[in-house]
Amino acid sequence: MRPVTALRGIVAAAAAVLVLSTAACSASDDGPAPAARPLSILLTNDDGWDAAGISAVYDALVARGHRVTLVGPATNQSGASMSTTPGALDVTRPDPDEPKYAVTGTPVDAAMVGLTGVLTARPDLVVSGTNLGANVAYNVNYSGTVGAATAAAERGIPAIAVSADAGDGTQADFATASEVVVDLVDELAADGGRGLERLGGDGLLNVNVPVLSKDGPDEARFTEVGEASPWKVSYRDAGDGTYAEQRSYSARVGGKDDDARTVADGIVSISWLTPERGDRSPSDLDDLLPGFDPFD
């Protein structure tokens, strides 16, 4: 059972591998051409409304001609998953000349404030990220970046979660991540928005970009979510009333063609996730709990 279902078909493509051309991912000397169909996009994240990753995506989408409203957490909310905050939330607009809002809550709080409070009409798309650090394999269960996109997908709104592997914390390739998002948006909006319509009825795309390199990635692959946890976390008694955290990260988990190993190999990973957790049939439960009846 997968913790989040990964589907094989993605966007409108039938191939298993995409090759990113330099021409498609780079602006011309005169700047990027305007989008054939400008979209209304809600942009959010979990690193905070003014983090470098979300700022890069905002600038790239605006430069392409899209109408972007940014609503993000006021502070870093990494690892918040799909948690929410009960009660009223403080919402500020740091610069009254820009459609950017900071919410004193979680990524899902920010997404919902954007969808139900700030925006007066349903957006064409929700983009969450770019996150500092990859969200692959079982990490998708803990990610606030993926959580915010999932909140949109639960409501039938097309969504993209995008993350950049950071290596030692300083190697996130936000430029490539932004270019991939712009290209994905173009693809989803093509043919009258056929990709947006299909995705909106069945989940979100989870994009992961490898660490910054001299030449940058030149390939993207459609992947499934690795069935393993990159993070290993344990605690030991420090003897002073606290338990000290011990944490390690292994990039090469799951199958060789899954998302984590693909990113570790320097290739952009694109997975299709659905909001529901994988489930088992009633007959499987009969096998697990034969004859169980708590009221017998």
Side-chain angles (χ1 to χ4, degrees):
M1 177 180 69
R2 292 186 180 277
V4 177
T5 306
L7 305 180
R8 292 182 180 274
I10 295 181
V11 195
V17 178
L18 280 178
V19 176
L20 301 178
S21 69
T22 303
C25 289
S26 300
S28 70
D29 292 340
D30 297 327
R37 180 191 171 193
L39 303 180
S40 170
I41 298 174
L42 174 65
L43 180 61
T44 190
N45 73 343
D46 74 359
D47 289 335
W49 73 274
D50 59 348
I54 195 172
S55 297
V57 175
Y58 177 88
D59 291 344
L61 289 171
V62 169
R64 189 74 169 121
H66 297 294
R67 304 183 303 278
V68 184
T69 302
L70 188 159
V71 185
T75 60
N76 191 317
Q77 297 288 316
S78 293
S81 188
M82 292 197 69
S83 61
T84 58
T85 306
L89 301 171
D90 291 333
V91 180
T92 59
R93 190 171 182 177
D95 185 343
D97 294 327
E98 290 191 312
K100 297 182 178 181
Y101 300 81
V103 179
T104 57
T106 67
V108 171
D109 290 334
M112 292 309 299
V113 166
L115 290 172
T116 65
V118 172
L119 295 177
T120 58
R122 174 188 173 106
D124 297 306
L125 177 70
V126 171
V127 176
S128 181
T130 296
N131 184 68
L132 177 64
N135 281 307
V136 292
Y138 285 176
N139 275 8
V140 298
N141 291 321
Y142 306 97
S143 165
T145 302
V146 176
T150 302
E154 285 181 342
R155 289 153 183 82
I157 301 172
I160 299 172
V162 56
S163 304
D165 194 1
D168 61 6
T170 63
Q171 298 170 279
D173 191 352
F174 292 138
T176 294
S178 299
E179 292 165 354
V180 172
V181 169
V182 169
D183 286 348
L184 272 175
V185 172
D186 283 349
E187 180 68 20
L188 289 167
D191 297 329
R194 181 167 58 93
L196 288 171
E197 182 177 355
R198 182 180 178 193
L199 184 63
D202 200 10
L204 62 137
L205 299 182
N206 186 38
V207 179
N208 282 275
V209 174
V211 294
L212 183 67
S213 63
K214 180 180 179 181
D215 298 324
D218 61 0
E219 183 181 341
R221 290 182 184 170
F222 299 153
T223 62
E224 291 193 349
V225 177
E227 296 188 25
S229 177
W231 285 106
K232 304 298 182 185
V233 181
S234 61
Y235 292 85
R236 63 173 181 81
D237 189 345
D240 59 358
T242 66
Y243 279 70
E245 181 189 56
Q246 297 177 310
R247 182 183 291 251
S248 63
Y249 185 85
S250 175
R252 296 185 177 278
V253 297
K256 66 181 181 66
D257 296 323
D258 289 344
D259 55 356
R261 289 181 183 247
T262 296
V263 174
D265 287 338
I267 299 167
V268 175
S269 165
I270 305 174
S271 303
W272 190 346
L273 313 181
T274 58
E276 74 274 8
R277 301 305 194 227
D279 58 6
R280 297 287 192 181
S281 69
S283 62
D284 289 328
L285 285 170
D286 286 335
D287 290 339
L288 177 67
L289 304 168
F292 176 71
D293 184 349
F295 303 107
D296 186 359

